[in-house]
Amino acid sequence: MQNPNQQPHHENSSRSQSPEYGEPVSDGKWAPRLLRECATAISNKDSTKIHHLLWMLNELASPYGDCNQKLAFYFLQALFCKATDTGLRCYKTLTSAAEKSKSFDSSRRLILKFQEVSPWTTFGHVASNGAILEALDGENKLHIIDISNTLCTQWPTLLEALAMRNDETPHLKLTVVVTESILVKSVMKEVAQRVEKFARLMGVPFEFNVISGLNHLKELTKESLNIQEEEALAVNCIGALRKVEVEERGEVIRMLQSLNPKLVTIVEHEADFSSTRNDFVKCFEECLRFYTLYFEMLDESFPTTSNERLVIERECFKCIVKVLACDNVIYDKVDGERRERGNQWSQRLRECFSPFPLNDDDVDDVKALLKRYKAGWSLVLPQPDHQESPGIYLTWREEPVVWASAWKPQEKSLEVAI
């Protein structure tokens, strides 16, 4: 069998036939069907069927074709890694290649282009900024701890909003916690210069700090973050908590509580790769469901030949391999990909925090944002009679894909009962 990491011989996968059974592969969802069969065969250790399905998928897949071909191409390689126990080696290779090809300019252009064509990330930015501005309203010394790895693209709109306040413009200290090795000092220096320049343009007194070299987020303290008593503190976590190993998430949430912030904002993808991690077929089903939505969204947002789209899809491939073929092996400090749904995060967060609902103006801002994009996006608000997962959801074609929420610390005594 040809190694699926090699380029397929042909790309005519809109219609083909099973070489063994003669079944036409022409329906609109042929890739998910074949991939599910292959995942089940791997779980059952059915070597004959595994061989047959991998061969068939390899004939049909292409990273340059339609959505079915792309899904087949990337999931096929992850399944091949699972079947041959080569997932960690593949993941290391993909990580190394991604780090070598990234630069500040290329990463920033990609982030901004993605924000231009899709609300996938801007949704969380607008929701979080609205909650932060409300929670810190009237304060004159603000401190935001940013754990997001978005190259600070979230903050220009917040700086602009601060500059437009009716009262005295507050002083803002922004502390960025770097959790990705690609964001080296030179990159963050460039980021700092750009944000500081924009703050000056807006007339906002501004201070920028970077925290890097952490082994775990739970190591953060008031002292290491230089949090001052007179500062009104907010912690912004966008896509950060899923990088924490599942067993350590409670510790990280308690660490956030220990900082005594006025607000913590959490934005995460609406997917469950955590509770299913010991059941390969269920984990595969959830991974396929989520990335099918994601690839369909990319298909609607980017031209077929877009280089930006190809880069994003390759980054997705790395995540897919990590989830499906690395068997929970920790390769580096921040390689976790065990996403959890909003209700799962809410259950964890309620131990230390209470929900901080968005006000009507903030909700209107999010709705106005979605109107700037193509049809298919919508906003789902929490239902009064269903409070398992407070916060708001971004949906794509009526499927929830991103969850955004805000939380305030509970007033609990820290005294130990004797």
Side-chain angles (χ1 to χ4, degrees):
M1 180 184 69
Q2 180 184 349
N3 186 324
N5 285 285
Q6 297 174 0
Q7 181 68 26
H9 293 304
H10 60 81
E11 299 180 3
N12 180 23
S13 60
S14 61
R15 180 175 180 89
S16 185
Q17 285 192 338
S18 161
E20 184 174 337
Y21 304 115
E23 298 171 350
V25 184
S26 57
D27 59 284
K29 297 288 185 179
W30 60 264
R33 178 171 59 80
L34 291 177
L35 290 166
R36 288 189 186 98
E37 288 182 27
C38 191
T40 301
I42 290 172
S43 180
N44 295 335
K45 295 181 170 56
D46 186 340
S47 57
T48 301
K49 195 167 186 179
I50 292 169
H51 212 77
H52 164 68
L53 288 166
L54 288 177
W55 185 91
M56 187 194 305
L57 283 162
N58 192 50
E59 289 296 301
L60 299 170
S62 168
Y64 306 108
D66 61 24
C67 199
N68 268 290
Q69 290 171 288
K70 287 172 177 284
L71 283 169
F73 181 81
Y74 292 113
F75 273 90
L76 161 65
Q77 294 184 73
L79 288 172
F80 181 83
C81 289
K82 176 68 175 178
T84 56
D85 198 26
T86 56
L88 186 56
R89 185 173 68 191
C90 179
Y91 181 77
K92 288 180 178 181
T93 301
L94 292 170
T95 300
S96 177
E99 290 185 354
K100 288 178 181 177
S101 63
K102 277 185 180 178
S103 67
F104 168 74
D105 286 335
S106 65
S107 297
R108 185 173 179 276
R109 281 197 303 269
L110 182 61
I111 289 171
L112 293 176
K113 181 63 178 177
F114 190 37
Q115 292 177 357
E116 178 187 328
V117 300
S118 167
W120 193 281
T121 55
T122 50
F123 166 80
H125 292 180
V126 171
S128 297
N129 283 351
I132 290 170
L133 288 166
E134 181 184 354
L136 304 187
D137 186 37
E139 302 285 352
N140 57 18
K141 285 192 176 182
L142 316 183
H143 189 174
I144 298 175
I145 310 296
D146 183 26
I147 315 174
S148 63
N149 295 326
T150 56
L151 297 179
C152 293
T153 53
Q154 175 178 348
W155 304 120
T157 52
L158 184 133
L159 285 165
E160 189 173 2
L162 291 177
M164 296 173 64
R165 278 191 8 179
N166 294 326
D167 54 355
E168 183 180 351
T169 303
H171 179 280
L172 173 63
K173 180 161 71 176
L174 179 63
T175 299
V176 178
V177 179
V178 173
T179 61
E180 286 191 6
S181 56
I182 187 60
L183 298 180
V184 293
K185 287 185 178 180
S186 59
V187 170
M188 292 314 300
K189 183 178 179 181
E190 179 74 20
V191 171
Q193 290 173 348
R194 289 174 181 264
V195 181
E196 287 168 351
K197 181 179 179 181
F198 190 82
R200 286 195 302 272
L201 180 67
M202 291 291 104
V204 177
F206 185 71
E207 179 184 341
F208 187 94
N209 299 296
V210 176
I211 303 292
S212 60
L214 292 173
N215 290 314
H216 301 284
L217 282 179
K218 62 184 179 182
E219 297 174 0
L220 291 171
T221 63
K222 281 187 175 182
E223 292 72 27
S224 65
L225 293 165
N226 191 26
I227 297 171
Q228 304 300 313
E229 288 297 326
E230 67 274 14
E231 295 172 345
L233 181 70
V235 182
N236 183 69
C237 302
I238 295 189
L241 296 188
R242 68 169 174 265
K243 299 292 184 180
V244 178
E245 290 303 310
V246 175
E247 294 75 16
E248 298 176 355
R249 289 174 182 175
E251 289 181 75
V252 170
I253 289 170
R254 288 189 289 275
M255 176 277 294
L256 295 176
Q257 183 192 40
S258 74
L259 301 179
N260 195 30
K262 282 187 172 291
L263 191 76
V264 173
T265 52
I266 309 289
V267 179
E268 288 290 342
H269 293 161
E270 182 66 1
D272 177 11
F273 302 159
S274 175
S275 67
T276 60
R277 59 180 171 164
N278 295 319
D279 185 325
F280 177 70
V281 173
K282 285 184 178 179
C283 186
F284 177 85
E285 284 281 355
E286 177 69 352
C287 193
L288 180 63
R289 179 200 68 81
F290 177 78
Y291 280 107
T292 297
L293 289 170
Y294 195 86
F295 274 56
E296 288 174 351
M297 176 273 296
L298 293 177
D299 197 43
E300 291 286 330
S301 304
F302 287 94
T304 303
T305 57
S306 166
N307 287 329
E308 293 95 344
R309 176 180 170 185
L310 189 60
V311 171
I312 293 170
E313 288 169 347
R314 285 173 178 167
E315 188 65 24
C316 292
F317 173 41
K318 189 177 74 168
C319 298
I320 292 166
V321 169
K322 179 68 177 67
V323 172
L324 297 180
C326 290
D327 293 325
N328 300 320
V329 176
I330 301 174
Y331 166 52
D332 57 31
K333 293 182 288 186
V334 288
D335 70 342
E337 287 296 339
R338 292 298 172 187
R339 291 164 171 79
E340 291 186 304
R341 292 178 180 265
N343 62 339
Q344 293 169 294
W345 286 116
S346 296
Q347 187 175 359
R348 295 181 185 277
L349 287 158
R350 283 183 187 276
E351 294 181 10
C352 300
F353 294 89
S354 299
F356 183 91
L358 287 182
N359 62 33
D360 291 341
D361 289 341
D362 297 333
V363 170
D364 288 342
D365 287 343
V366 175
K367 290 179 178 178
L369 170 78
L370 299 186
K371 289 179 181 178
R372 290 164 34 191
Y373 296 95
K374 291 182 178 180
W377 299 101
S378 59
L379 169 67
V380 173
L381 301 173
Q383 300 300 313
D385 58 343
H386 186 70
Q387 289 297 312
E388 285 186 10
S389 54
I392 60 176
Y393 289 88
L394 173 69
T395 68
W396 165 248
R397 292 178 176 171
E398 301 183 354
E399 290 285 340
V401 290
V402 180
W403 174 70
S405 64
W407 301 79
K408 57 185 179 181
Q410 293 177 0
E411 297 296 334
K412 285 187 176 181
S413 172
L414 299 179
E415 294 180 4
V416 179
I418 299 178

